[in-house]
Amino acid sequence: QRIYYLSLEFYMGRTLQNTMINLGLQNACDEAIYQLGLDMEELEEIEEDAGLGNGGLGRLAACFLDSMATLGLAAYGYGIRYEYGIFNQKIRDGWQVEEADDWLRHGNPWEKARPEYMLPVHFYGRVEHTATGTKWVDTQVVLALPYDTPVPGYMNNTVNTMRLWSARAPNDFNLRDFNVGDYVQAVLDRNLAENISRVLYPNDNFFEGKELRLKQEYFVVAATLQDIIRRFKASKFGSTDSVRAVFDSFPDQVAIQLNDTHPAMAIPELMRIFVDIEKLPTGSSPWQAWDITKQTFAYTNHTVLPEALERWPVDLMEKLLPRHLQIIYEINQRHLDHIASLFPNDVDRLRRMSLIEEGGTKRINMAHLCIVGSHAVNGVAKIHSEIVKTQVFKDFAALEPEKFQNKTNGITPRRWLLLCNPGLAELIAEKIGEDYVRDLSQLTKLHEFVDDDLFIREENKVKFALYLEKEYKVKINPSSMFDVHVKRIHEYKRQLMNCLHVITMYNRIRRDPAKLFVPRTVIIGGKAAPGYHMAKMIIKLINAVAQVVNNDPVVGSKLRVIFLENYRVSLAEKVIPATDLSEQISTAGTEASGTGNMKFMLNGALTIGTMDGANVEMAEEAGEENLFIFGMRVEDVTELDRKGYNAQEYYDQLPELKQAIDQIKSGFFSPKEPDLFKDVVNMLFHHDRFKLFADYEAYVKCQEKVSELYLNSKAWTKMVIKNIAAAGKFSSDRTIKEYARDIWHVEPSDLKIPPPNEPRDVAEDKTPNGTAA
């Protein structure tokens, strides 16, 4: 059985150090480089991040590849080799400015082009129904050129593959125009085809229905499925010729995981291959093909925000992929007939469950397509999977409850502990041995050491403070509390609420400069989608507040605010190990899981957060008393929606909130442009879907508790160790084992393949019970 993980994003970061760790070569390489008079750390800093993702979804895919290789699963990651990844963010005068991320400009030593596996992908054209079956004709062809990147497992001599497709124009592309004499234009037009893999769409949790994006989604799916079927035929029949293939065993040998709805077109595409090309013996209807298709696919849902759900206009689909639109209509017809037979006369239910949304522009609901076309649907944290079942896809869950599952996200401990925090990793190994790296649940053994004062964050903080001083020219007090909020900038993640707390702290220091105040360095970082006006205003506001706070002599070193420019994987590896307090403050019910929260926990930061996403399970594992939990729960938010959220009431009742808002409104932080932030204030009062004011008071009070505990370093350290000891559940190894057993029906293997330089017979003697590997 082979596992195929389909994702439009793989946020890999850098590869060098990760590869050395997984191959057990780090010390040898460090030594060799040192002998050459070079410094390994300087060398590592030269490597570009492979930023082929926006945030959580793409980084999860990268962690999953690491775990699948480490668990010895025969797994492939399939995606797009974007020429330009997520933009580089520059902050100019407090505003975000985007620059192209030309990450391939010096080449990429980790990839190998495989032109021998190049495949055609079709677009446009029309559909012909003939006596011998349906044909999709007069299409435009784009070639998909695969590039393979090795994915090594941890110390087990297993290397899997990530295969990313790059678009190429065929040689005869548009040279029909040559006949009318415009040869040069015809050659220039080749770019239109090659644009498909040019750039990653920079949206996180937001759907943008652009034709180029739909082309990307179909491009990766069409190339990947041809590759999968070639491999299936080769292993089953020893030949990829068009033998009358028997596809009955297809789902036993192929498991395809759809990472969100972005690769949803794989469902109608596999049907098209089965019915139109392989001509599966279907009797009077193609539903044998449909059963095989459903058994093959599984779908992971990553968000409940309505603006994030993909809904493609029917007329765009008809132009770009006419045959697929027909297939989707057929799937929908069969699906609705089934529901009508179970619920006669329930027209409303048919409308709610249809794959096609009528009214205004007709659209295809891609999440519905994924649910109907898969045998398993999962959310990514307990609370999220419940919301998916009871609210977002309630009708579907009522129909097929056994289809819906939970798979709480995880992170790879190789990158997020060994690589980024070697000091802590070493310390843990001294206490409990090294096996925890492959079995993170062993961290519970640390409970015996909760009274040890040795858990270091000091040197990480000093190192990061030096980095900040170098990059931002601000003096940082390394013994201040590092209060960190790094993730994509989005209203639901509530960086604005953090900003209001900063203003409140600032006002308190100004009011009573002599009073004891626990010094803080507040670090906020993240990218805003280039078209997301409010997110960009939030970045500007944070920078404006920082400007005032950092230059106020009354404040001195008690409070520093830094906006971390160009937050990305390699920067996360620096800031996370230096963090004291991790901010996870989304409105309850909006963050599907989060994985940054897990990285901070594993690295010994304490969490201030709402009961949302995986925070709920972190509190369950560590004990709620060992996190700083505040604010409304999902039920409270629902109740507030029912009675109507009125921001004005909170503003009138909370003097500190009123003061902060008035300062923003009056231009205290933007004296040259007093009404610069009027949009932000207007949003907070009149259309704040995420109810900042409702949680403000609880948040500020909870922050006071944080400061109080920070003064007692012994109690703080004890809580830190309890958190690390409880972080074992959040390994992506655990997550992948659950996918393997419950969805893909394969068993992970902890067998270590013998290294290539060792004769096989020696290896056979080493395997348990003398059985051959």
Side-chain angles (χ1 to χ4, degrees):
Q1 169 106 336
R2 290 187 167 107
I3 314 301
Y4 295 99
Y5 197 83
L6 263 63
S7 180
L8 266 91
E9 301 184 20
F10 285 97
Y11 204 170
M12 302 299 285
R14 293 172 175 158
T15 298
L16 175 61
Q17 196 183 352
N18 188 241
T19 303
M20 294 189 301
I21 287 173
N22 279 12
L23 298 181
L25 293 173
Q26 197 173 21
N27 293 345
C29 290
D30 284 352
E31 180 58 31
I33 292 293
Y34 177 72
Q35 296 287 340
L36 293 170
L38 298 168
D39 175 358
M40 184 56 101
E41 267 197 48
E42 277 179 38
L43 214 57
E44 287 162 356
E45 283 298 313
I46 295 169
E47 184 179 357
E48 296 272 357
D49 277 49
L52 309 185
N54 279 286
L57 174 143
R59 183 54 233 175
L60 185 79
C63 284
F64 278 5
L65 292 184
D66 181 89
S67 285
M68 290 188 289
T70 296
L71 292 168
L73 294 171
Y76 301 76
Y78 273 97
I80 294 179
R81 179 180 177 269
Y82 300 105
E83 200 175 315
Y84 295 89
I86 185 68
F87 61 87
N88 283 318
Q89 178 195 56
K90 291 276 185 284
I91 300 295
R92 301 227 170 92
D93 185 28
W95 295 98
Q96 165 174 303
V97 178
E98 298 87 23
E99 283 180 358
D101 165 38
D102 191 5
W103 72 289
L104 291 170
R105 103 185 132 258
H106 302 300
N108 172 10
W110 302 108
E111 69 182 9
K112 168 92 177 75
R114 306 299 300 272
E116 67 274 29
Y117 291 116
M118 188 141 68
L119 294 165
V121 175
H122 298 260
F123 293 102
Y124 304 109
R126 57 191 175 80
V127 180
E128 272 181 4
H129 296 282
T130 68
T132 55
T134 310
K135 292 191 170 65
W136 181 19
V137 296
D138 297 343
T139 56
Q140 289 184 19
V141 174
V142 176
L143 298 175
L145 171 63
Y147 284 79
D148 287 357
T149 299
V151 179
Y154 179 68
M155 305 284 279
N156 64 351
N157 296 330
T158 296
V159 182
N160 285 347
T161 300
M162 174 175 69
R163 177 163 283 186
L164 302 180
W165 301 101
S166 182
R168 293 286 184 273
N171 269 335
D172 61 354
F173 184 80
N174 264 357
L175 291 201
R176 288 157 287 208
D177 299 354
F178 186 27
N179 304 332
V180 296
D182 205 345
Y183 161 73
V184 169
Q185 189 55 47
V187 173
L188 295 182
D189 280 348
R190 295 171 64 87
N191 276 328
L192 297 174
E194 300 183 348
N195 276 339
I196 291 175
S197 57
R198 196 81 68 203
V199 61
L200 168 75
Y201 274 87
N203 300 315
D204 189 72
N205 275 304
F206 183 79
F207 169 60
E208 189 176 357
K210 294 269 163 62
E211 180 171 354
L212 178 60
R213 172 65 174 188
L214 184 55
K215 275 187 174 167
Q216 289 182 339
E217 293 185 354
Y218 178 65
F219 173 75
V220 64
V221 148
T224 300
L225 282 176
Q226 290 178 73
D227 221 25
I228 290 174
I229 285 174
R230 170 188 60 76
R231 209 175 274 128
F232 168 76
K233 287 180 175 177
S235 64
K236 194 158 171 63
F237 308 104
S239 146
T240 55
D241 300 341
S242 58
V243 278
R244 170 60 64 233
V246 184
F247 282 95
D248 299 3
S249 64
F250 192 75
D252 302 327
Q253 298 191 13
V254 175
I256 303 177
Q257 192 68 36
L258 304 173
N259 193 25
D260 216 345
T261 56
H262 313 144
M265 289 307 295
I267 293 170
E269 171 68 2
L270 187 59
M271 281 296 284
R272 183 185 74 84
I273 293 170
F274 282 161
V275 176
D276 295 1
I277 297 169
E278 297 294 338
K279 309 226 181 283
L280 240 65
T282 55
S284 57
S285 76
W287 301 114
Q288 179 205 357
W290 180 236
D291 289 334
I292 296 173
T293 299
K294 279 209 313 203
Q295 286 313 305
T296 302
F297 288 108
Y299 157 56
T300 300
N301 173 280
H302 281 275
T303 179
V304 298
L305 297 178
E307 66 268 32
L309 294 176
E310 291 196 295
R311 293 148 64 248
W312 287 105
V314 164
D315 48 7
L316 174 59
M317 188 76 70
E318 186 164 35
K319 177 175 89 159
L320 193 67
L321 301 166
R323 177 60 181 137
H324 297 77
L325 181 63
Q326 289 182 356
I327 290 168
I328 290 169
Y329 272 128
E330 282 186 53
I331 292 169
N332 195 38
Q333 189 56 57
R334 183 165 191 264
H335 162 63
L336 293 179
D337 288 348
H338 176 55
I339 290 161
S341 73
L342 295 171
F343 304 94
N345 308 325
D346 191 343
V347 181
D348 205 42
R349 185 181 300 263
L350 291 178
R351 184 185 53 72
R352 291 195 309 266
M353 294 183 75
S354 175
L355 307 190
I356 314 289
E357 299 180 352
E358 309 278 349
T361 318
K362 275 173 82 164
R363 295 174 181 276
I364 302 164
N365 183 316
M366 301 309 272
H368 290 185
L369 174 62
C370 285
I371 294 169
V372 172
S374 298
H375 69 279
V377 175
N378 72 283
V380 289
K382 255 188 213 162
I383 182 174
H384 168 236
S385 297
E386 269 313 298
I387 292 171
V388 162
K389 267 200 316 220
T390 56
Q391 295 172 35
V392 195
F393 303 125
K394 186 163 133 220
D395 295 314
F396 292 91
L399 193 66
E400 305 179 277
E402 68 292 340
K403 199 181 254 196
F404 287 79
Q405 307 189 7
N406 173 53
K407 295 287 168 276
T408 300
N409 284 160
I411 57 173
T412 167
R414 272 73 63 183
R415 184 176 295 263
W416 298 112
L417 185 58
L418 269 68
L419 182 154
C420 71
N421 204 343
L424 178 58
E426 193 65 30
L427 196 66
I428 294 172
E430 277 169 33
K431 298 285 172 198
I432 66 170
E434 288 180 4
D435 289 352
Y436 76 90
V437 180
R438 309 170 122 282
D439 174 14
L440 208 61
S441 66
Q442 294 189 21
L443 288 178
T444 53
K445 296 178 186 168
L446 289 173
H447 281 299
E448 294 167 40
F449 304 99
V450 288
D451 293 314
D452 277 22
D453 281 341
L454 68 206
F455 278 78
I456 37 154
R457 195 157 307 87
E458 234 21 75
E459 58 188 75
N460 291 336
K461 288 177 71 174
V462 170
K463 193 174 171 186
F464 193 63
L466 290 171
Y467 172 83
L468 290 177
E469 283 171 34
K470 189 174 117 248
E471 298 291 318
Y472 296 88
K473 317 284 176 263
V474 268
K475 191 94 186 86
I476 300 294
N477 169 8
S479 62
S480 65
M481 183 202 304
F482 285 17
D483 169 350
V484 178
H485 197 176
V486 285
K487 46 184 78 257
R488 283 298 293 252
I489 308 291
H490 202 298
E491 288 163 84
Y492 87 87
K493 293 179 186 285
R494 299 202 293 193
Q495 285 92 352
L496 250 181
M497 191 159 72
N498 190 345
C499 189
L500 291 180
H501 176 241
V502 168
I503 297 171
T504 303
M505 286 192 291
Y506 170 72
N507 290 331
R508 286 180 179 183
I509 295 170
R510 296 263 315 205
R511 224 174 9 250
D512 192 355
K515 193 175 172 197
L516 170 74
F517 184 85
V518 178
R520 283 199 193 214
T521 303
V522 177
I523 299 169
I524 303 177
K527 293 175 180 175
Y532 189 172
H533 169 70
M534 188 53 64
K536 290 185 140 180
M537 289 308 301
I538 290 168
I539 291 175
K540 174 65 175 170
L541 176 62
I542 292 163
N543 281 301
V545 170
Q547 190 63 31
V548 171
V549 171
N550 297 346
N551 292 300
D552 190 325
V554 177
V555 174
S557 65
K558 289 180 184 168
L559 184 58
R560 282 264 177 270
V561 182
I562 289 174
F563 187 88
L564 212 48
E565 185 176 76
N566 201 30
Y567 182 62
R568 58 199 185 279
V569 176
S570 57
L571 188 48
E573 291 162 8
K574 294 182 176 68
V575 65
I576 291 171
T579 300
D580 293 302
L581 184 69
S582 154
E583 302 258 358
Q584 308 293 337
I585 59 177
S586 52
T587 310
T590 61
E591 185 72 270
S593 167
T595 47
N597 47 3
M598 303 168 185
K599 290 159 195 162
F600 284 107
M601 183 188 202
L602 182 60
N603 281 278
L606 298 184
T607 299
I608 182 168
T610 48
M611 275 298 201
D612 198 21
N615 290 2
V616 177
E617 287 158 82
M618 285 163 50
E620 203 174 287
E621 295 294 304
E624 205 174 310
E625 69 284 0
N626 292 308
L627 279 79
F628 298 100
I629 298 289
F630 71 92
M632 298 180 287
R633 314 275 161 133
V634 171
E635 317 65 87
D636 305 320
V637 176
T638 311
E639 177 54 26
L640 188 51
D641 276 328
R642 200 190 53 74
K643 77 174 228 279
Y645 166 65
N646 180 355
Q648 187 73 39
E649 287 173 18
Y650 299 93
Y651 171 83
D652 293 338
Q653 283 160 22
L654 303 167
E656 287 189 302
L657 173 62
K658 181 178 190 305
Q659 182 185 9
I661 295 296
D662 291 348
Q663 286 168 311
I664 295 171
K665 196 155 95 184
S666 67
F668 181 86
F669 298 107
S670 53
K672 290 188 180 140
E673 292 179 77
D675 52 5
L676 180 59
F677 298 116
K678 66 174 192 305
D679 287 358
V680 177
V681 174
N682 180 47
M683 180 276 291
L684 285 170
F685 278 106
H686 303 296
H687 17 247
D688 176 11
R689 296 160 53 200
F690 304 107
K691 308 178 175 59
L692 249 75
F693 291 4
D695 270 342
Y696 166 84
E697 187 180 19
Y699 178 54
V700 172
K701 287 206 166 97
C702 193
Q703 288 280 19
E704 290 165 15
K705 280 204 241 156
V706 174
S707 291
E708 198 182 317
L709 188 72
Y710 193 73
L711 286 173
N712 179 348
S713 67
K714 194 149 178 57
W716 182 279
T717 302
K718 193 168 183 166
M719 201 184 276
V720 164
I721 298 168
K722 285 180 179 171
N723 269 268
I724 298 171
K729 173 176 181 178
F730 305 106
S731 166
S732 48
D733 298 349
R734 187 266 318 148
T735 311
I736 289 298
K737 279 180 189 156
E738 292 181 12
Y739 275 96
R741 290 181 183 153
D742 305 342
I743 296 179
W744 307 326
H745 309 302
V746 291
E747 272 301 313
S749 133
D750 51 8
L751 202 62
K752 182 172 177 176
I753 296 174
N757 58 348
E758 201 173 279
R760 280 283 157 160
D761 49 344
V762 180
E764 283 174 21
D765 294 342
K766 283 190 178 172
T767 53
N769 319 325
T771 53

